[in-house]
Amino acid sequence: MTGTAVDLIWLAPALALLGFVANGALVFVRPTAKTLVSVIGAGVLLAAFAVSIAVVSSFDADAPVVFRYWSWIPVGTLQVDFAFQVDQLSAVMLLVVTGVGSLIHLFSIGYMKEDPGYARYFAYLNLFVFFMLVLVLGASFPVMFVGWEGVGLCSYLLIGFWFSEQANANAGRKAFIMNRIGDFGFMVAMFIIFWTTGSLDFGTVFSHAPTALVAGGSTVHRDPRCFCSSAVPASRRRSPCTPGCPTRWRARRRSRR
């Protein structure tokens, strides 16, 4: 712990997850309570953005700050903690995800106001932001992979949100299949990294990289290709904070005509 607002980093994803749980409950209890859904859905994101601003404003360390919450995968030499890492890159992405995510939530309040699946939509959107924050804040490849998988799940749910329309259902299935291709490359890359460095934590991997990953070596050639094989299909189906929104909104506009 640093004794500053950076210690509150866990609160940003926790707020998004809280929004998903609350709006998910409203889907079954009060699906027509759109005002309450709007307050929860957008409110938790605005609160997470405020937390992000406080965290970034307090972060002035040159080295990454890692917060380890519990031991997640203790298997032999593989020791993976569920941990978040705050550094210059994750701080920027924290602001992008919560800031742009807040704007998308606010826009959706007006755009989706007449849709019968209003509460379900905001539950999915809150869950998407939660997994995106896990993706950008994870302190190891497995934690980042959890966020990766979660974002893929939410892309499938959001792209196929109007699943009664065949085009949207097909687009959701396409996103699901492309995600599986990305998963394969990601997992193979993690296996190679662990085999080469003996760890999956960013700090340990990066410290061993200059000696373990020799320039021109076979591992250096294999590993980037694995990550690229996972990144390319993923980039075709989603970008940060916009899990297929343009596709869904274009389809929705066509259905209104």
Side-chain angles (χ1 to χ4, degrees):
M1 296 298 176
T2 64
T4 65
V6 181
D7 297 342
L8 299 176
I9 187 64
W10 63 272
L11 191 55
L15 285 167
L17 182 60
L18 177 63
F20 163 70
V21 173
N23 280 331
L26 288 175
V27 171
F28 302 100
V29 179
R30 296 180 60 191
T32 59
K34 294 185 178 181
T35 300
L36 182 57
V37 170
S38 302
V39 170
I40 295 173
V44 294
L45 259 293
L46 291 171
F49 183 51
V51 170
S52 302
I53 293 175
V55 168
V56 173
S57 299
S58 301
F59 178 72
D60 58 359
D62 294 329
V65 179
V66 178
F67 298 92
R68 303 185 184 278
Y69 299 106
W70 65 80
S71 178
W72 180 30
I73 308 177
V75 182
T77 58
L78 177 61
Q79 301 292 322
V80 178
D81 296 330
F82 190 88
F84 288 155
Q85 177 172 306
V86 182
D87 53 30
Q88 287 83 355
L89 178 59
S90 63
V92 171
M93 292 308 300
L94 180 66
L95 291 175
V96 171
V97 172
T98 56
V100 177
S102 297
L103 295 177
I104 293 174
H105 279 69
L106 292 173
F107 174 81
S108 298
I109 290 174
Y111 192 89
M112 298 289 293
K113 62 182 179 180
E114 297 178 0
D115 195 279
Y118 191 82
R120 179 166 59 92
Y121 172 81
F122 273 91
Y124 291 165
L125 209 55
N126 285 158
L127 185 64
F128 174 83
V129 174
F130 165 73
F131 279 121
M132 181 59 77
L133 289 173
V134 173
L135 173 64
V136 302
L137 294 176
S140 65
F141 289 103
V143 175
M144 183 171 68
F145 186 70
V146 171
W148 169 277
E149 279 296 294
V151 170
L153 168 65
C154 294
S155 294
Y156 167 73
L157 295 173
L158 287 165
I159 292 173
F161 181 77
W162 290 296
F163 53 82
S164 58
E165 300 175 15
Q166 188 61 42
N168 295 329
N170 291 339
R173 284 195 293 268
K174 178 182 176 182
F176 182 83
I177 294 171
M178 296 298 287
N179 192 48
R180 301 287 73 76
I181 298 173
D183 293 346
F184 176 77
F186 201 123
M187 288 188 291
V188 171
M190 283 198 294
F191 293 148
I192 295 174
I193 289 172
F194 180 73
W195 173 66
T196 306
T197 66
S199 177
L200 291 175
D201 284 343
F202 291 153
T204 305
V205 171
F206 295 158
S207 64
H208 284 73
T211 55
L213 303 176
V214 181
S218 59
T219 303
V220 175
H221 289 291
R222 285 195 302 265
D223 213 12
R225 291 173 186 171
C226 294
F227 273 121
C228 286
S229 69
S230 64
V232 170
S235 65
R236 290 173 61 86
R237 72 172 188 279
R238 64 175 181 257
S239 59
C241 296
T242 55
C245 288
T247 301
R248 296 194 318 281
W249 290 338
R250 285 197 299 270
R252 187 58 172 176
R253 283 198 293 268
R254 287 196 298 268
S255 67
R256 287 179 173 178
R257 292 174 182 173

